[in-house]
Amino acid sequence: MKEILKITVIFLSLQGLNFDVSAQKNQYFKGYIEKVNTPSFGYHSPLPDVNRSLLLRGKAEFDPIGWKTEAIPDSYKGDNVHFIWMYGKDVTHQPSTFHLSFNGRQLLTFQNSGRGYLGEEKVEGIDGSSLTFNNTMLDKYGDQMGFAVLKVPTHLLIKGISNEVQVASDPDNLDTWYMTFEAALEPSINAEQNMVVVKEGEQRKHNVVFEILHLQPSEKVTIKINGMETSMDLHTGYNRLDVNLPKVDHPTPYTAVIQVGNQEAISRSFTLSPVREWEVYLIQHTHSDIGYTRPQPEILPEHLRYIDHALDYCDATDDYPDAAQFRWTCETSWSVKEYLENRPQSQIDRLIQRIKEGRIEATGMYFNYSEIIDEQAVAYQTKYLRVLKNMGIEVST
């Protein structure tokens, strides 16, 4: 089943419907513009087009990592400035300790998490500074990734130029890591049509995914399309909103009206394309390679249990519709012969009954052979076929 699902995913194509969101007010400044004397490290990130990072481990041989921020305009009047960048953080029971400095002054200290979880994690620093990790993704290794927001009092920064952030680690001789991704983040909204047909009740619809990179505090987004309204709470960082639209048989224009918080709504047009429908059948399949995973004497008890389980599953699905009732094929006769010789008569009777019903099939092949078969195997197979025939079971060869 897994292989079929993988193939299905491979054939899902996406049609991009890019939206210009330059009018969206960005309340967070870019926390990363360029690196400072730090080598790059290739790694995956929460965004598909970002795969370079600045890596730091808890070892003495790893120098601090450093990077520059967006310049704050001289006209800025706020008491604090918020910088945002994308990060990755090892989840481990052996955390390293990291120290974050801003323009050479240490503001705060943070550590790795001992468990993988999503949501916010806030670390307080000096003079009202803070670092908030918005854990938006656990990667395939269970490590945390997301968008970090650094709050810095305005009097600690220099306006008109880029300021510098540096992260150093305690030399604990640990492989535990932290990384900042090399990406100058920009707010964006992108819509992609999944080339699939989905069902809502009896209706067939097309699916459009709105991917929103939100670089502000959490707020609500509302999307209106042809009188249909969908909304969700946007969190800082990457967000995804699925919208299902009526199925079309020819290219059909749509207009999306998108409003983020109290900002002015923007309108964008796109075309929904027809999708060819497929009917996919999922078929359970197993295969017996006797002796492949373990020697035959060790694997035999498991193969006997397989038949026990098959009989139980047949019993459990007797009341199901015929097409949904459990069925099983004993691919090799070796396991059936051993079952007939080692299980109690009550179990043997159950097996014979299910074979006669056609719910369990007993094949005539002793093992999975090549074209060459020795005389001993032929003799065992012949004996087995004779035993089945005496029980009233015909086996095709």
Side-chain angles (χ1 to χ4, degrees), residues 87-139:
Y87 72 91
K89 208 166 44 149
D90 194 7
V91 173
T92 175
H93 292 296
Q94 290 186 301
S96 289
T97 300
F98 302 98
H99 308 281
L100 185 144
S101 299
F102 190 84
N103 288 338
R105 182 179 182 183
Q106 183 174 315
L107 295 185
L108 51 86
T109 296
F110 65 92
Q111 289 186 317
N112 302 89
S113 301
R115 62 182 181 88
Y117 63 91
L118 301 178
E120 289 189 359
E121 174 189 352
K122 189 173 183 179
V123 180
E124 300 289 349
I126 65 172
D127 290 346
S129 63
S130 66
L131 179 63
T132 301
F133 293 104
N134 295 280
N135 302 310
T136 61
M137 183 182 87
L138 299 179
D139 73 357

Side-chain angles (χ1 to χ4, degrees), residues 15-220:
Q15 178 178 348
L17 309 165
N18 294 316
F19 290 17
D20 177 16
V21 290
S22 57
Q24 180 176 334
K25 181 181 178 183
N26 185 1
Q27 296 178 2
Y28 289 165
F29 290 91
K30 297 183 183 71
Y32 178 93
I33 293 295
E34 60 180 341
K35 62 183 180 180
V36 179
N37 298 325
T38 302
S40 296
F41 178 77
Y43 208 70
H44 56 265
S45 82
L47 300 181
D49 57 343
V50 177
N51 54 21
R52 306 297 295 176
S53 68
L54 312 179
L55 174 68
L56 179 64
R57 295 185 186 274
K59 290 186 172 182
E61 59 264 33
F62 277 77
D63 294 327
I65 58 175
W67 64 93
K68 291 184 178 181
T69 70
E70 178 182 0
I72 306 302
D74 293 329
S75 59
Y76 186 80
K77 301 298 183 182
D79 294 332
N80 300 287
V81 174
H82 293 82
F83 294 101
I84 187 168
W85 65 82
M86 192 160 49
Y87 72 91
K89 208 166 44 149
D90 194 7
V91 173
T92 175
H93 292 296
Q94 290 186 301
S96 289
T97 300
F98 302 98
H99 308 281
L100 185 144
S101 299
F102 190 84
N103 288 338
R105 182 179 182 183
Q106 183 174 315
L107 295 185
L108 51 86
T109 296
F110 65 92
Q111 289 186 317
N112 302 89
S113 301
R115 62 182 181 88
Y117 63 91
L118 301 178
E120 289 189 359
E121 174 189 352
K122 189 173 183 179
V123 180
E124 300 289 349
I126 65 172
D127 290 346
S129 63
S130 66
L131 179 63
T132 301
F133 293 104
N134 295 280
N135 302 310
T136 61
M137 183 182 87
L138 299 179
D139 73 357
K140 59 184 178 181
Y141 305 112
D143 295 319
Q144 292 172 319
M145 294 187 171
F147 300 81
V149 177
L150 175 65
K151 183 178 105 173
V152 180
T154 306
H155 70 269
L156 295 181
L157 57 82
I158 304 172
K159 294 181 181 180
I161 64 172
S162 293
N163 293 260
E164 186 171 333
V165 181
Q166 186 182 79
V167 177
S169 63
D170 284 348
D172 299 322
N173 199 31
L174 295 173
D175 283 327
T176 309
W177 53 266
Y178 164 83
M179 62 177 64
T180 289
F181 287 98
E182 300 178 46
L185 300 174
E186 297 279 358
S188 63
I189 300 178
N190 181 63
E192 295 178 333
Q193 178 186 354
N194 278 313
M195 302 305 285
V196 295
V197 177
V198 298
K199 289 185 69 175
E200 285 188 356
E202 297 301 318
Q203 294 184 324
R204 296 177 182 267
K205 295 189 175 183
H206 292 318
N207 175 256
V208 178
V209 178
F210 287 84
E211 296 180 310
I212 304 174
L213 188 56
H214 185 64
L215 305 183
Q216 302 180 50
S218 297
E219 55 189 334
K220 184 178 180 179

Side-chain angles (χ1 to χ4, degrees), residues 325-361:
Q325 291 177 351
F326 185 83
R327 287 169 170 79
W328 181 257
T329 297
C330 301
E331 186 180 2
T332 63
S333 61
W334 172 75
S335 59
V336 177
K337 179 183 78 70
E338 294 291 338
Y339 195 90
L340 296 175
E341 293 177 356
N342 291 281
R343 280 298 191 255
Q345 188 61 46
S346 59
Q347 286 296 92
I348 295 174
D349 292 342
R350 291 178 69 197
L351 174 61
I352 298 303
Q353 180 60 35
R354 291 301 184 180
I355 292 176
K356 290 181 177 179
E357 292 175 1
R359 295 279 293 281
I360 291 181
E361 180 181 5

